[in-house]
Amino acid sequence: MPDIAAETTSDHRPAILICAYDADETAWDPVEDLSGEPWSPSGARTVAVASDEPDALARVLSVHLADQRCRGLLLVGRTRRSDAFRLQLRAENRSLDGVRRLDTVGPGLARATAPVADIVSALNEAGLTVEASSDAEEDAGSYLLYRVLSGLPEGLDAPAVGLLRAPETASDAAVQRAVKTAAQAMARHLSPLPRSRAS
């Protein structure tokens, strides 16, 4: 599991998890050059979380988000419903196979906490066609979004969580540009960590 505290204790940047949850997804590569260091937006640092079986991945993401140094999560997947990038606004309380409620006592819907309007605006400015949609797709992305959001503690300090879907025909370069743009938009809303959290 990647380590949120892997950076030195003098790094007061909040962490944003980026997880391309589909094992077949090869478009997003956080390491851009031979340094081996992952790309990070201004004001934050990224932690790449590898794909895994959905239940195990949901647990890993929840553990990361319980760490107060982790202030965001961007799930990255594909859409079969649009030729545009899609930012999914909510997820339904459904099992992975979609036939029953995942949680009998949980809310019927969980809403993304990422700054949707800012992400959409930034993607448009980057020349990418994007739509924000309340329609959930029945796949691991929607399942993970619900699991993560429904497991967040209540309060004003909830991390920013969003799901960005790329069209199936999008090139690797377009996906990388979209992920970076969305993460940068998220980072603009994050404050530096207090020294007590960063150490």
Side-chain angles (χ1 to χ4, degrees):
M1 178 188 313
D3 185 3
I4 294 291
E7 299 270 335
T8 64
T9 57
S10 63
D11 190 341
H12 299 289
R13 296 178 299 165
I16 298 175
L17 305 176
I18 300 181
C19 177
Y21 52 83
D22 188 339
D24 295 328
E25 180 59 68
T26 59
W28 170 245
D29 182 0
V31 179
E32 297 184 297
D33 54 37
L34 297 177
S35 71
E37 292 296 317
W39 170 87
S40 291
S42 176
R45 60 189 171 97
T46 57
V47 176
V49 179
S51 63
D52 199 347
E53 177 273 324
D55 282 322
L57 186 52
R59 288 191 294 271
V60 168
L61 294 172
S62 293
V63 167
H64 279 306
L65 289 169
D67 187 323
Q68 292 297 304
R69 292 168 292 203
C70 182
R71 303 306 306 138
L73 164 63
L74 182 62
L75 294 166
V76 180
R78 295 282 178 166
T79 180
R80 293 176 299 281
R81 295 187 180 175
S82 177
D83 290 330
F85 284 86
R86 295 182 81 221
L87 198 60
Q88 188 167 316
L89 301 179
R90 64 183 191 175
E92 298 175 2
N93 183 350
R94 289 280 178 258
S95 59
L96 188 56
D97 60 13
V99 299
R100 60 180 170 77
R101 285 176 65 95
L102 174 65
D103 184 345
T104 57
V105 297
L109 293 172
R111 298 191 183 282
T113 55
V116 173
D118 289 346
I119 294 173
V120 168
S121 177
L123 289 169
N124 282 328
E125 288 176 15
L128 299 167
T129 305
V130 61
E131 57 190 34
S133 176
S134 293
D135 293 333
E137 299 190 27
E138 294 180 2
D139 66 359
S142 294
Y143 174 83
L144 289 167
L145 186 62
Y146 182 86
R147 281 278 305 266
V148 169
L149 289 169
S150 65
L152 293 177
E154 292 189 19
L156 297 177
D157 203 23
V161 178
L163 169 53
L164 177 67
R165 295 180 179 276
E168 290 188 316
T169 57
S171 67
D172 289 2
V175 173
Q176 290 171 18
R177 191 162 83 250
V179 171
K180 290 178 181 180
T181 301
Q184 186 64 66
M186 291 172 72
R188 283 195 289 269
H189 288 262
L190 306 179
S191 301
L193 298 176
R195 291 189 183 276
S196 59
R197 279 191 193 173
S199 57

